[in-house]
Amino acid sequence: MKRSLTGIQPSGVPHIGNWLGAIAPALDMQETHESFYFIASYHALTTARDPKLLQARIFDVACTWLAMGLNPERTVLWSQHAVPEVCELTWILSCVSSKGMLDKAHAFKDAVAKGKKQISAGLYTYPVLMAADILAFHSQVVPVGKDQKQHVEMAKDMAQRFNHLFSDVLTLPEPLIHDDVATIRGTDGQKMSKSYDNTIPLFLPKKKLRKKIMTIKTDSKGLEEPKDPDTCLVFELFSLFATEDQKAELAEKYRGGNFGYGHAKQELFLLLDKRLEEPRDRYNDLVQRPDDVRDILITGAQKARAIAQKTLLDVRSAVGL
Ligand code: ADP
Ligand code: TRP
């Protein structure tokens, strides 16, 4: 069985982009892969400055994984900081990584492009920590959204370089990206992201979910005018959850006229609300049982740590420490 691994940062409230791009594809692999999924708490420290909020968000991402269907009997779930070996591996990998490569990393380039004044060394070396996450567990497949593809490729480069310089210790990973959900767009039409304030969070109460869906950007065509489903963001999001018949039905309503964007949004709300009802109930139940969630994380961390410790022994020995 191949090993699959992915992480979600506790940097905000998980949204449907995280779900479709990373969580759902990862959970689909639970039966066919040895699955290792974690909460990327160290990565979140590149931006988090409120300790209480960080703790709450770590718990929230754990509940999200479980509510969306992670089975802790089959899949290892832990918080990144419970396995500090990844920090040691980060240092060792950083010594075989070139500055030129890190200059090209998305996380860093985005921050520069946005004109961020204070870019921490942590943000700059972010891909090395991510590579350590992947390589410490000998992960073969890494299910992620398209924005993370480059980081997984960098992890592969670092493993190759390490193996070439020392000995064949590290396993080469491959990203797994589903084209249909590679980049989910947010309510403003840009990539949905916690950092753009354009997300549809997974576990909003019904009323708030409806309100959020009503904010999706559309053009200004009047109610009676026929509309083009293929250029409409509401239709695009609807299509992610709909059957072929449901899509064809809605497309016909668009083209027929006398069907406003408000109506289309209501249909999207009904569909998404139905799809999220069960996970939302599970989530609401889990948040009432923090001790059970913590127990799952502790058990997961023990299993994960044992693997990372073994890898570090091999890595140390390969470099001569
Ligand atoms: P965010 O951009 O909201 O901060 P993260 O960086 O924590 O999200 O991403 C967690 C996972 O979810 C990654 O695998 C990422 O590729 C995926 N992901 C995030 N946003 C999207 C999106 N809009 N579409 C598809 N996948 C996404
Ligand atoms: N950087 C990823 C993101 O922002 C989260 C992450 C951290 C990750 N370590 C990872 C994803 C290892 C896959 C594998 O989405």
Side-chain angles (χ1 to χ4, degrees):
M1 242 191 207
K2 284 194 174 177
R3 185 170 287 173
S4 109
L5 171 140
T6 198
I8 305 279
Q9 283 197 63
S11 52
V13 179
H15 52 77
I16 62 170
N18 298 142
W19 174 34
L20 298 175
I23 299 176
L27 293 177
D28 284 347
M29 298 165 84
Q30 288 189 106
E31 305 294 320
T32 51
H33 289 68
E34 259 191 289
S35 304
F36 285 75
Y37 302 143
F38 67 97
I39 302 144
S41 45
Y42 283 142
H43 276 100
L45 270 188
T46 55
T47 51
R49 296 294 177 260
D50 178 337
K52 284 224 170 74
L53 186 61
L54 178 61
Q55 274 185 17
R57 285 182 167 163
I58 291 171
F59 176 70
D60 197 41
V61 175
C63 292
T64 301
W65 272 117
L66 293 163
M68 296 320 293
L70 185 143
N71 174 359
E73 305 287 320
R74 293 196 74 96
T75 296
V76 184
L77 176 70
W78 74 100
S79 277
Q80 190 182 27
H81 64 282
V83 183
E85 284 73 17
V86 295
C87 289
E88 184 179 353
L89 186 55
T90 299
W91 175 252
I92 297 174
L93 292 173
S94 73
C95 295
V96 300
S97 303
S98 72
K99 179 176 172 292
M101 178 179 71
L102 295 181
D103 285 342
K104 294 191 202 112
H106 283 319
F108 170 65
K109 273 176 64 178
D110 279 3
V112 175
K114 282 188 199 134
K116 282 205 177 142
K117 293 231 162 50
Q118 289 182 336
I119 296 177
S120 66
L123 184 68
Y124 185 66
T125 56
Y126 181 110
V128 193
L129 176 58
M130 182 156 159
D133 290 329
I134 296 170
L135 304 177
F137 301 99
H138 295 287
S139 319
Q140 288 149 306
V141 191
V142 185
V144 281
K146 198 170 151 197
D147 59 318
Q148 296 299 318
K149 182 170 186 254
Q150 184 208 34
H151 293 154
V152 181
E153 283 165 353
M154 285 181 163
K156 186 175 176 182
D157 282 352
M158 288 179 224
Q160 266 166 334
R161 182 137 178 82
F162 182 95
N163 289 351
H164 173 71
L165 288 171
F166 299 105
S167 52
D168 222 349
V169 171
L170 299 173
T171 304
L172 306 188
E174 294 295 340
L176 177 80
I177 295 161
H178 294 288
D179 284 339
D180 49 339
V181 292
T183 308
I184 309 296
R185 294 201 288 154
T187 51
D188 60 357
Q190 292 189 77
K191 174 198 172 284
M192 187 178 293
S193 172
K194 284 166 241 155
S195 24
Y196 302 155
D197 195 24
N198 65 355
T199 70
I200 301 178
L202 283 169
F203 303 120
L204 287 178
K206 269 177 196 285
K207 269 194 175 162
K208 288 197 170 154
L209 177 64
R210 185 171 182 281
K211 221 170 145 187
K212 187 51 105 179
I213 288 175
M214 291 298 158
T215 66
I216 297 171
K217 211 166 122 188
T218 56
D219 62 34
S220 52
K221 283 207 173 78
L223 173 74
E224 64 293 341
E225 286 180 77
K227 299 176 180 69
D228 180 4
D230 298 328
T231 56
C232 176
L233 179 55
V234 181
F235 189 81
E236 185 178 306
L237 292 169
F238 182 88
S239 302
L240 296 167
F241 304 97
T243 61
E244 287 306 315
D245 284 353
Q246 286 171 319
K247 275 200 266 180
E249 215 176 288
L250 186 63
E252 211 178 295
K253 289 185 187 167
Y254 266 72
R255 295 194 181 103
N258 272 325
F259 183 77
Y261 288 119
H263 298 125
K265 290 175 184 177
Q266 175 66 12
E267 300 225 0
L268 170 60
F269 161 68
L270 291 174
L271 188 66
L272 189 56
D273 183 54
K274 198 160 159 227
R275 183 67 189 77
L276 288 175
E277 201 151 32
E278 229 179 83
R280 183 167 53 213
D281 288 347
R282 273 201 297 269
Y283 174 85
N284 288 333
D285 174 52
L286 284 159
V287 293
Q288 302 300 321
R289 300 190 284 118
D291 290 344
D292 293 347
V293 176
R294 275 184 205 114
D295 283 348
I296 292 170
L297 291 177
I298 290 169
T299 309
Q302 282 163 350
K303 291 186 196 157
R305 195 162 187 202
I307 298 172
Q309 280 172 335
K310 164 80 176 64
T311 308
L312 261 296
L313 279 180
D314 295 342
V315 165
R316 278 169 155 254
S317 146
V319 299
L321 295 176

